[in-house]
Structure formats: C-alpha cells, structure tokens
Amino acid sequence: MRRIFLKIAYDGTNYHGFQVQPNGETIEGVLNRELSRILKENITVIGASRTDAGVHALGNVAVFDTNAKIPGEKVAYALNVSLPEDIKIQQSMEVPLDFHPRHQKTVKTYEYKIYNARFPSPQHRLYEHFTYYKLSIEKMQAAADYLIGEHDFKSFCSIHAEVESTVRTIYDIKVTKKEEVITIRITGNGFLYNMVRIIVGTLMDAGQAFWKPEHMKEILDGRERSLAGATAPAKGLTLAEIIYPEAATLTEENRQFHS
Amino acid sequence: MRRIFLKIAYDGTNYHGFQVQPNGETIEGVLNRELSRILKENITVIGASRTDAGVHALGNVAVFDTNAKIPGEKVAYALNVSLPEDIKIQQSMEVPLDFHPRHQKTVKTYEYKIYNARFPSPQHRLYEHFTYYKLSIEKMQAAADYLIGEHDFKSFCSIHAEVESTVRTIYDIKVTKKEEVITIRITGNGFLYNMVRIIVGTLMDAGQAFWKPEHMKEILDGRERSLAGATAPAKGLTLAEIIYPEAATLTEENRQFHS
C-alpha cells in the first residue's frame, strides 16, 4: 500500500463544495470517481480543506492510498487526462503512509478578490466579487492589522459552527490593489467556518468608512458574530496554498511559505 | 433620432461570434434583442469588429440609433441589468449621427494569452491557450519585430478571406511573460481574417526554435499562407481596445492609444 499526495486546483463555480454530498457534484466526488476508474480500485481521498460551495482553490491538498504501481509523479498526468477542465492536479508524489493532510501543522493562505469598478466585467465575473462602492485599501489594511496574531476569532465565526475553540493565529493579512482588483491575502494556522469571508465582509465596511479602522479591535474583543460585517460571497474566495512546515518528506515547495 | 456608442466587454466562450448567425447565439443578437426590449423599438447595432466564435473582447465598439430619450451615459446601466454575466457594457454615450464604427480611421489592439506551464489550470482555461512546450519570449519578440510596419500580410491571412488588399500596418507587437502567462499584444490599423491568430501560431513556432527569428522575414516576403504557422485557437484571443484617433467628438479615452 502506498500513499499519494495531490495538489489540486479547481474552479468551484459549478460544484457543491469539496466534500462529498448526497445531492450534487463535489470536487471530492469527482476525484474519487476518476481515481477509482483509472486505478481500478475503490479510491477515497482525504482532503486537507473542505472548501464551501462556490469557493475555488489553486492549491488544496488531498491524499489517497493505492496498491497500483504508478509512480507518484505520474498520477497528475494520468488523472488530468480524465478530469474536467475546472479541476486539474498541479502536483503529485508519494508520501509516507502516516502523512495526514489535516492532523499536523499547516499554514494556509486564502486570497479574496474584489472587482471594484463602475461596471461588472465578464472577464472578472468568476473569481472576484463585484462592487461599485469605493473602497479605501488603506482603511482596509489598517483595520486588518488588528487581526494579526493569536486571537479569539469568535466574532468572525459562523454561528452554525460547532468547534471547541475559536482561538486561531493569523500570521499576515495584506490588502493590495492592481488596476480594479483588490486582493486580500490572509495567512494563518487554520480558519473557522466562514472566517475569511466574514473578515472580508467586515473589511469592506471599513473600506467604505462605515467606522474607523480602530473599531476593528472592539469587534474582535466583543466575541460576538453580530458585531462583524456580512459574510462576503463565496465566488471571491480562493484557497491559494497549504504549507506543511514540519513534513520533512515533502518537497521544499510544500514546506516553505510563499509570501 | 440619436446615435448611441457602446463599448462592450464579453467572454466569447459560449457565443458563435459577434455577428448575427442563423443558428446559435451571438453577441450582436443578444445586444439587438435586449436593446429592443428595453427601448421598445426595433434596434440593430452596427459593430466595429466582427470577432470570431470563441474570441473575447474587453473593448469592442458598436453604435445604434434610437428615438428614446434616455441619456447616452445611462444606457450602460440600463442595458447591463438585462445582459447576461458574460456580456457587459463598459461605457455608453451619445455620438453624432454620422459616427460609423468601421468607416473611419481606427487603431485596434489585440491580446493573445498563452498559459505556458507543466499542467493546465482551471483558473486560466477560458482566456488563455495552454501549452507545456517551452517557449522563448526573446525568440518570439525577435521574430515579431520583423512584422512591425506596413507590409503585405498575405502569408498571415486565411485562404478563405476575400479582400482587395492584404496590406496592413502593425504599429507594435510586444511579447511579455508574467509568471506562467505569455501575452502577445498587437496594435495595428486593421487586421485580415485570422491574421492575429496566424501570427501567434507562427510566433509559437519561433518560440520553440523551429527556425531562427530572421526566418520570419522570408515568411512575410513569401506572401503565401502555407509558409506561416498554424492558426492559434480562438480562446486565447481578446480584442482589447479600439481607438478612434480622429473622432473629435469622442472622449479622450476613446481617441488615445493606451500602451
């Protein structure tokens, strides 16, 4: 038995999220089906991040176990032939059988993109949330800075989430703008349910100057979901990268954080 | 009677080109239908560029005549409400009744994008042609430089085209690369049928070093389609901009070339 690591990119527009659902196509469902077909075994992947319906990924991670003799690096080529255009493997390799994509230290980076222009754009419709309200990226960055570090992020967690602790660490948040596209890049050791999208919704309020950036501290300290802003739409969110800093057997690319 | 100018962006993936066809949805068909519905008149647009099936635009131009009293600038807002997500107006304004989008001097800029990576990417699938063959942008630029200026571009014209003259002027070609995306930006006073896509196919041969860049001069001078490379796929091509340098009544944005 061997364990294969997959780095997966997908456009989440037409999927009901990563995790297998009783109704509707999912990323995990497509991977299980195509891997089983190619390898002629019953394959079930274990995903690193169960992204929501409509959320995209450049580098989600999954592993699966197989008896097949195909070299680890060749899985990407073989699988990409069968996968639809909106799911493509970016890397594959053999890893030790005890490598688990969730039960170890990870550093995750999400990118949220906002198309901030007068009119919507066909070319920007799939991976960016459109708004014509003027947003100040300076105010957004100033508000975001209060979130960096280890905090209780209860205010930024969906009330439907069931978790033991709402304490997480955000290593970095960068708000940048290039032409009409604002990118909010957030890196942390893990995120609560809807946390990135609620942070983005709150930063959009800061960017429109509904309140001063220092009010972000009160929202954080209040530890109540109702204090924060709306949950920003799924389509603007992309899981950019998952890094395993302590997985010595992975390649350097999978261990080192790319800023 | 008033004439309204439209700057139109579209994703051509799901359309049979710009021009109305007996079978299949076209950009022009959607514009005519939605304008007629909103303005309660029979509206027929006159397009500047009849882009092929699968080709995209950031700034194609069309005009139409109407008896309606809606201010020119408001047409974009009203029309965008009815248009599908993959066609959106970027600008609208009233122009003189004798403004014709084709019968006057124009400067057109096309962009062709190539996703040059080991594996295809869902996020790059719609507007970029994927190839894993290594392309040298230095060789592509060196070959492209031979095409700049006024030339007979017969070698780069589809044999199905019926035109009086195959002489055109290319003002500039720039080949650039950012991460995995190669962009070929071509500006000229007009282009023959499939000319940009044949130039790109030929530049891809130069980029793979099938021949030395100076061979481009022989291809050009030979004035025969068979000397040039393949026609690159439509999906990589975007009509970026149409400039009317002599239309004094337009805004500065529509008269000045943006490099």
Side-chain angles (χ1 to χ4, degrees):
Chain A
M1 204 61 148
R2 299 152 61 228
R3 180 158 286 194
I4 307 292
F5 171 106
L6 300 173
K7 181 176 164 186
I8 314 148
Y10 48 87
D11 175 339
T13 308
N14 295 317
Y15 295 94
H16 293 237
F18 185 86
Q19 198 173 13
V20 166
Q21 301 287 342
N23 312 310
E25 192 85 300
T26 65
I27 311 296
E28 192 182 5
V30 172
L31 291 172
N32 288 347
R33 187 177 65 221
E34 296 305 323
L35 281 168
S36 299
R37 204 168 59 78
I38 294 168
L39 301 174
K40 299 178 175 66
E41 289 175 275
N42 243 326
I43 302 284
T44 308
V45 301
I46 306 170
S49 185
R50 295 157 182 156
T51 54
D52 271 350
V55 173
H56 320 288
L58 294 173
N60 203 347
V61 165
V63 299
F64 68 90
D65 294 338
T66 179
N67 290 307
K69 291 200 177 70
I70 181 169
E73 319 79 58
K74 298 287 183 200
V75 173
Y77 294 93
L79 188 50
N80 278 341
V81 173
S82 314
L83 286 173
E85 276 202 319
D86 54 5
I87 308 179
K88 290 291 173 192
I89 306 302
Q90 302 299 298
Q91 185 190 14
S92 65
M93 61 183 155
E94 191 171 338
V95 289
L97 277 168
D98 64 354
F99 179 95
H100 192 289
R102 289 196 303 273
H103 303 158
Q104 61 176 309
K105 192 178 176 192
T106 57
V107 179
K108 286 184 187 172
T109 298
Y110 281 93
E111 281 186 352
Y112 196 96
K113 289 186 185 285
I114 299 166
Y115 184 66
N116 195 19
R118 200 190 314 182
F119 298 112
S121 155
Q123 280 80 2
H124 292 266
R125 77 189 187 282
L126 290 177
Y127 313 117
E128 298 162 28
H129 167 51
F130 169 72
T131 182
Y132 49 78
Y133 294 116
K134 277 212 173 168
L135 297 171
S136 154
I137 65 159
E138 290 75 21
K139 288 195 171 72
M140 292 170 79
Q141 182 69 64
D145 287 345
Y146 289 96
L147 302 178
I148 296 171
E150 185 182 82
H151 299 286
D152 183 342
F153 285 99
K154 196 168 177 210
S155 298
F156 302 94
C157 179
S158 164
I159 51 167
H160 304 297
E162 287 168 25
V163 280
E164 285 178 25
S165 162
T166 46
V167 174
R168 295 290 185 279
T169 301
I170 291 182
Y171 301 122
D172 196 27
I173 310 184
K174 285 229 164 48
V175 184
T176 54
K177 188 169 184 180
K178 213 188 142 190
E179 293 174 2
E180 287 90 359
V181 180
I182 296 172
T183 301
I184 301 160
R185 191 174 164 94
I186 308 188
T187 300
N189 68 349
F191 293 91
L192 300 163
Y193 188 55
N194 278 356
M195 178 168 153
V196 178
R197 290 165 57 189
I198 298 169
I199 288 176
V200 169
T202 311
L203 291 179
M204 287 179 69
D205 292 346
Q208 286 176 75
F210 287 176
W211 32 262
K212 293 201 169 143
E214 45 271 37
H215 177 58
M216 188 59 116
K217 196 170 155 34
E218 290 165 41
I219 296 174
L220 183 65
D221 292 346
R223 303 178 65 246
E224 205 173 295
R225 172 66 187 93
S226 62
L227 297 171
T231 306
K235 71 188 287 195
L237 187 61
T238 296
L239 172 57
E241 185 180 78
I242 304 178
I243 292 297
Y244 293 94
E246 291 166 359
T249 55
L250 293 188
T251 67
E252 199 160 324
E253 187 192 332
N254 305 109
R255 280 183 282 119
Q256 291 201 349
F257 165 56
H258 306 81
S259 64
Chain B
M1 204 61 148
R2 298 154 61 230
R3 180 157 286 195
I4 307 293
F5 170 106
L6 300 173
K7 181 177 163 186
I8 314 148
Y10 48 86
D11 175 339
T13 308
N14 296 317
Y15 295 93
H16 294 235
F18 186 86
Q19 198 173 12
V20 166
Q21 301 288 341
N23 312 308
E25 190 86 301
T26 65
I27 310 297
E28 192 182 5
V30 172
L31 290 173
N32 288 346
R33 188 177 66 222
E34 295 306 321
L35 281 167
S36 299
R37 205 169 58 77
I38 293 168
L39 301 174
K40 299 179 175 66
E41 288 175 274
N42 243 327
I43 302 284
T44 308
V45 301
I46 305 170
S49 184
R50 294 156 181 158
T51 54
D52 271 350
V55 173
H56 320 287
L58 295 173
N60 203 345
V61 165
V63 300
F64 68 90
D65 294 337
T66 178
N67 291 307
K69 293 202 175 68
I70 181 170
E73 320 78 59
K74 299 287 183 199
V75 172
Y77 294 93
L79 187 51
N80 277 341
V81 173
S82 315
L83 286 173
E85 276 202 320
D86 53 5
I87 307 178
K88 291 290 173 192
I89 306 301
Q90 302 299 299
Q91 185 191 13
S92 66
M93 59 183 157
E94 191 170 339
V95 288
L97 278 167
D98 64 356
F99 179 95
H100 192 287
R102 289 196 302 273
H103 304 158
Q104 61 176 309
K105 191 177 178 192
T106 57
V107 179
K108 287 183 186 171
T109 299
Y110 281 92
E111 281 185 353
Y112 196 96
K113 289 185 186 285
I114 300 166
Y115 185 65
N116 195 17
R118 200 188 316 180
F119 298 112
S121 155
Q123 280 80 5
H124 293 267
R125 77 189 187 281
L126 290 177
Y127 312 117
E128 298 161 30
H129 167 50
F130 169 72
T131 181
Y132 50 77
Y133 293 115
K134 277 211 172 168
L135 297 171
S136 153
I137 65 159
E138 290 74 22
K139 289 195 171 71
M140 292 170 79
Q141 182 68 64
D145 287 345
Y146 289 96
L147 302 178
I148 296 172
E150 185 182 84
H151 299 287
D152 183 341
F153 285 99
K154 196 168 178 210
S155 298
F156 301 94
C157 179
S158 165
I159 50 167
H160 304 297
E162 288 169 25
V163 280
E164 285 179 28
S165 162
T166 46
V167 174
R168 295 290 185 278
T169 300
I170 292 183
Y171 300 121
D172 197 25
I173 310 184
K174 284 230 163 49
V175 184
T176 54
K177 187 169 185 181
K178 212 187 143 192
E179 292 173 3
E180 288 90 1
V181 181
I182 296 172
T183 301
I184 301 160
R185 191 175 164 93
I186 308 189
T187 300
N189 70 347
F191 294 92
L192 300 163
Y193 187 56
N194 278 355
M195 177 169 154
V196 178
R197 291 165 58 189
I198 297 169
I199 288 176
V200 169
T202 311
L203 291 179
M204 286 179 70
D205 291 346
Q208 286 177 75
F210 287 176
W211 31 263
K212 293 203 169 141
E214 45 272 37
H215 177 59
M216 188 61 117
K217 195 171 155 35
E218 290 164 41
I219 296 174
L220 183 64
D221 292 345
R223 302 178 65 248
E224 204 173 294
R225 171 66 186 92
S226 62
L227 299 172
T231 306
K235 72 188 288 194
L237 187 61
T238 296
L239 171 57
E241 186 179 77
I242 303 178
I243 292 297
Y244 293 93
E246 291 167 359
T249 54
L250 294 188
T251 67
E252 198 160 326
E253 187 192 331
N254 305 107
R255 278 184 283 119
Q256 292 202 348
F257 166 56
H258 305 80
S259 63

